[in-house]
Amino acid sequence: DTEVTQTPKHLVMGMTNKKSLKCEQHMGHRAMYWYKQKAKKPPELMFVYSYEKLSINESVPSRFSPECPNSSLLNLHLHALQPEDSALYLCASRSPGTGDRNTIYFGEGSWLTVV
Amino acid sequence: SQKIEQNSEALNIQEGKTATLTCNYTNYSPAYLQWYRQDPGRGPVFLLLIRENEKEKRKERLKVTFDTTLKQSLFHITASQPADSATYLCALGMEYGNKLVFGAGTILRVKS
């Protein structure tokens, strides 16, 4: 079982709604990620937080707003989304260090449908 | 341009045989490479990591090789089983910025 927990597992929202996806890990990892995955496509990197600071934003539209309140939590705030934003949103975390501790662990994902 | 290519979209093999999956990349200089398994509707599950200065890694029935000259990694599953059927993703890890970039994946189907 993954040690990265994502909620909700499924979310349906209208284009005018505001909602949030949540992610939690208690492995002491200091890097956390948001990925977006469309059907039959690989995960695409959206954001990386390192030590609670945003270190990478892959030119993601501002209707997606990440937040890292502390080292264990990562949120993705959603506002005014489009139907094409419907996808599986994956959270991941990674420990600092080298070798096999570079492993990035993924959560089960949140399925988002925008109607 | 930067590319990560995984061999074929789908690989069909007979139970008990060795499955070999390929990951080729261009215009990247990864510090390490990881292989993940993903089942439909689930998040990727980590399998193996190999660093740029390592040639080969093994874990139970899994083996991965990494050739930075050829810019290629091979992923082998020996004595394959129907339960190994899944999508396998390779991912390149960059040392700086904590960035991990995925290939498109290969669907493996093991038939009994």
Side-chain angles (χ1 to χ4, degrees):
Chain A
D1 287 340
T2 181
E3 296 181 68
V4 178
T5 304
Q6 291 188 242
T7 56
K9 291 197 185 325
H10 298 273
L11 176 64
V12 180
M13 61 184 289
M15 288 189 283
T16 58
N17 290 161
K18 282 187 183 180
K19 297 285 184 184
S20 297
L21 304 180
K22 298 184 183 301
C23 176
E24 190 168 0
Q25 57 89 13
H26 294 288
M27 295 180 281
H29 292 176
R30 302 310 296 271
M32 294 186 76
Y33 304 72
W34 280 114
Y35 280 83
K36 172 183 176 178
Q37 188 175 24
K38 303 280 274 185
K40 299 186 179 182
K41 296 289 187 182
E44 293 179 8
L45 183 63
M46 299 176 72
F47 303 103
V48 181
Y49 273 82
S50 182
Y51 292 88
E52 294 99 73
K53 293 198 184 323
L54 184 65
S55 60
I56 294 177
N57 177 342
E58 292 287 276
S59 303
V60 179
S62 60
R63 57 185 183 270
F64 295 92
S65 175
E67 179 197 18
C68 190
N70 59 55
S71 60
S72 299
L73 295 174
L74 185 66
N75 298 321
L76 186 63
H77 302 298
L78 314 170
H79 175 52
L81 295 193
Q82 303 296 312
E84 59 264 28
D85 296 321
S86 299
L88 178 66
Y89 287 83
L90 294 161
C91 174
S93 70
R94 174 191 174 206
S95 65
T98 59
D100 286 9
R101 290 188 296 166
N102 279 123
T103 300
I104 295 179
Y105 293 94
F106 283 83
E108 292 288 7
S110 293
W111 283 99
L112 173 66
T113 303
V114 182
V115 297
Chain B
S1 62
Q2 294 177 314
K3 283 193 298 187
I4 305 172
E5 294 177 310
Q6 294 193 236
N7 48 340
S8 49
E9 190 172 315
L11 182 63
N12 298 299
I13 65 166
Q14 202 63 33
E15 183 177 7
K17 300 291 186 185
T18 296
T20 298
L21 285 65
T22 305
C23 178
N24 295 293
Y25 59 92
T26 52
N27 294 322
Y28 281 107
S29 296
Y32 56 94
L33 189 148
Q34 299 185 186
W35 283 88
Y36 288 82
R37 168 185 174 140
Q38 187 171 27
D39 292 287
R42 311 289 294 271
V45 174
F46 169 75
L47 297 174
L48 281 169
L49 178 152
I50 187 164
R51 297 196 66 83
E52 59 179 337
N53 59 351
E54 297 175 313
K55 296 290 185 189
E56 182 179 300
K57 270 274 187 75
R58 290 175 186 261
K59 179 182 175 183
E60 297 171 354
R61 295 185 294 113
L62 308 180
K63 183 178 87 171
V64 63
T65 63
F66 194 11
D67 188 326
T68 54
T69 302
L70 292 178
K71 297 187 184 300
Q72 180 183 77
S73 175
L74 299 178
F75 178 75
H76 306 272
I77 305 175
T78 58
S80 59
Q81 304 164 1
D84 295 326
S85 299
T87 296
Y88 290 86
L89 300 160
C90 75
L92 304 185
M94 312 304 157
E95 193 67 64
Y96 298 105
N98 291 308
K99 201 167 177 175
L100 190 70
V101 183
F102 284 85
T106 298
I107 299 170
L108 175 66
R109 300 189 189 101
V110 182
K111 298 184 178 178
S112 56

